[in-house]
Amino acid sequence: MDDRATQTALSLTKFGIGQPVTRKEDPTLVQGMGRYNDDIGLPNQAHAWMVRSSQAHGIIRGIDTEAAKAMPGVLAVLTGADLKAYGGLKCTLPLKNRDGSPIKYVPRPALATDKVRFVGDPVACVIAETVAQAKDAAETVALDIEPLPAVVSARDAAKPGAPQLYDEVPGNIALDYQHGDSAKVAEALKDSAHVVSLPLINQRLVVASMEPRSAIGEFDKKDERWVLHSSSQGVFGMKNLLRDIFGAAPDKVRVLTGNVGGSFGMKATVYPEYVCILHAAKVLGRPVKWTDDRSGSFISDHHGRDFDMTIEVGFDKDGLITAMRITGYGNLGGYCSNFGPMLPTLNLTKNSISMYRTPLLEVSTKCVFSNTTLVSAYRGAGRPEGALSIERTMDVAAAELGIDKLELRRRNFIKAKDMPHATPAGTTYDCGDFPGLFKEALLQGDAKGFAKRKRESKKAGKLRGLGVACYVETTAQNTQEQGGIRFNADGTVTIITGTLDYGQGHASTFAQVLSAKLGVPFDKIKLLQGDSDELVHGGGTGGSRSAMMSGTAIVQASDKVIEAGKKLAAHVLEASAGDIEFTNGDFTIAGTDRTINIMALAEKLRTTALPDDMPKDFPKTLDITHVTESVAGTYPNGVHVVEVEIEPDTGLTRVVKYNAVNDFGTVINPLLVEGQVQGGIVQGLGQVLLEGVVYDAAGQLVTGSFQDYAMPRAHDAPMITVANRPVPTKTNPLGAKGCGEAGTSGGLPAVANAVIDALSEFGIRHLEMPMTASRIWEAIEEAKAKKQSA
């Protein structure tokens, strides 16, 4: 076996699909050699700082910028009047009200001109030679804002007489969404033997990515071209949003993204700061840089969650689900973000059914404006909220019906023999073995041994609870993606994709797919992903879809490489294209030992010109630019089994045992899947036990720093065991299902159920999140007092 063949064999065994390959980028990142946006410094760049409203709601009577303009180093001070030629930041979702009318919202100006609508609403932008000079000058901008009453909860904002944010949106209701047949659901619930009703709040969360938002704007006066360097979740989508704002042609906007220090949905769209610095770059004729600080991030980055729902589930006399109804409110904040209205509507609808046969479903949600920071996608984006809705209700139902919580789930599972299964959410599960997965998860989590562990905890003076949660996610659906393959002169191969890695490990995962498909050595494969000029299409990364989207694009592009390669190899080997076979990176004349490796073929094509008389459609290179047709979404699913211990005298809660068994279809890289699941679980744990945004009645953010907002830390995270029980899907050539957000969908309800199970001996059936030590202690003391007074 020659060296090239040995290398190919090694790639297929050590770096092929299913192998636990480490992330290619880790050696760079762990040495502090990553290139994040704030690491970029362009020649002659200026610096920007935002002036933000300290009022949650008010009419702008005046903005005095004269003192700021006179400050040392100040180059310009922008207000909304300077940006009036540009379009506003829009919500592009084609959502409709229950009466068929479109969603109501007002495009957001980059700088507020008439009103401020939340604390942190930007009203001016100062550009100076240094950051310090811009900050100093920003403090001298005098705002004359006439205060108006504020409202911070969606439920209160929708009440008659609530402060109105927009004249164009009466009642503050941007969207009155309804899915399902209300009459049929009402009738089914009426006829049910038992109906469980559970008020459930998914509290607002701060995203708090490791890297604050940062951007640099440039304008090429000669080409009249905008260039934005910014952290993002996909440069092609960001480019198109900017094009809409600036009214620019496709070739007049370029977006560049390097390493990204976390996003979780928050960095997926355009923010006002980007419009300001791009305009300033055009006016000043030099690059303008802006990087937020943590205080600014707390009030200007999009927040997550903030659902206020009531879940009703009907059961017949045998404990089988008859119907489900979810009604309530989704908080949009002061403006309509590009994704916000989708979360408590479409995504909640599609992710509330879980593994259970549910004949009827209704979801009725009012998406409401309030005087708070905008709400948008946060890891799961409606999926964990849907899982929490049904899983908390199943535990409450089990208690009310007197049926074991595990048995109640078993009775209602959709069986493998019933696949494909159409749900009342408008989705169709193509495959899955929910009962088998459930059985495996209980075995892995040693549910049978829980009673013994509970007794041991009691001896130590602690409460112990067992939480079980099932989930089925609906990943992003029906989108296209680019998969380019380029054979480089230095002997490497570049994958070009429109998705974007901001922690997922795409460089290794995509290289494994290409290596398995084309036999290209793993260490010769590069990934190009953060330059919109290199893309003809790109859906970005979000909705747990990258493995399906880019994976499908890479497989299809590889097929085109093989097709072209057979013709080219036939020419080089002096054979008929029909006689050429391709296996493990080698083009071979069938029945002979005459062969040429794909890498050698690419090298030969670079050094040897094809004859001039070749047909016009004859390929001249192995390079391919390919865009998929729409790729269907998938339905990853799993069961999490969790145990917690609670100190009843303090309320302190620890997750002490965690097992997650998941069906992600074909697992390309089990090591990276495990990391994704564990990260999502910790974020779910954080929501249950620690995190929660608090506003006062005037709209001031009380939890405005890490001194007041509790993020989970290393000591809060348990050892998490992740196992895979795959049922590959046939909706994409890899058989893969998404995994990026699944940990949160399982972790959020599982930990919540475990805490309530531990508290159930006090008669506590539900507790709002975050279930902090103080809240748990208070609940225990109230339960004790109630028992003593009875």
Side-chain angles (χ1 to χ4, degrees), residues 290-435:
W290 168 82
T291 300
D292 212 350
D293 61 11
R294 190 60 67 179
S295 295
S297 295
F298 265 81
I299 58 175
S300 69
D301 291 352
H302 295 167
H303 292 168
R305 312 293 188 229
D306 210 342
F307 295 12
D308 182 350
M309 302 290 178
T310 297
I311 298 94
E312 299 167 276
V313 179
F315 294 87
D316 67 13
K317 60 183 178 60
D318 297 318
L320 300 179
I321 295 173
T322 59
M324 182 178 184
R325 180 166 63 196
I326 303 177
T327 56
Y329 303 87
N331 199 338
L332 299 178
Y335 299 90
C336 192
S337 73
N338 203 33
F339 300 105
M342 180 173 65
L343 315 180
T345 56
L346 289 174
N347 282 11
L348 180 65
T349 298
K350 292 178 180 180
N351 292 276
S352 296
I353 296 296
S354 189
M355 298 182 172
Y356 310 116
R357 183 179 295 278
T358 307
L360 295 166
L361 171 69
E362 180 186 6
V363 176
S364 295
T365 306
K366 289 181 171 61
C367 294
V368 186
F369 289 116
S370 71
N371 296 117
T372 59
T373 300
L374 283 67
V375 173
S376 191
Y378 174 64
R379 197 169 194 166
R383 299 174 183 88
E385 296 93 322
L388 182 72
S389 297
I390 184 60
E391 288 302 306
R392 282 294 303 120
T393 306
M394 290 295 279
D395 267 21
V396 172
E400 293 185 7
L401 293 168
I403 302 174
D404 177 78
K405 62 188 178 184
L406 305 182
E407 173 58 23
L408 183 62
R409 288 172 167 83
R410 290 190 189 97
R411 291 185 190 182
N412 284 281
F413 280 142
I414 300 163
K415 306 297 193 297
K417 65 181 178 63
D418 297 326
M419 299 292 180
H421 177 82
T423 78
T427 55
T428 299
Y429 299 163
D430 62 296
C431 64
D433 180 11
F434 303 154

Side-chain angles (χ1 to χ4, degrees), residues 421-463:
H421 177 82
T423 78
T427 55
T428 299
Y429 299 163
D430 62 296
C431 64
D433 180 11
F434 303 154
L437 193 67
F438 190 69
K439 181 179 180 180
E440 179 68 21
L442 295 179
L443 181 66
Q444 294 268 354
D446 187 24
K448 288 185 177 179
F450 171 71
K452 179 182 177 182
R453 293 189 292 275
K454 185 177 178 69
R455 290 192 296 270
E456 292 170 350
S457 294
K458 189 170 184 179
K459 289 179 183 178
K462 297 179 181 180
L463 309 171

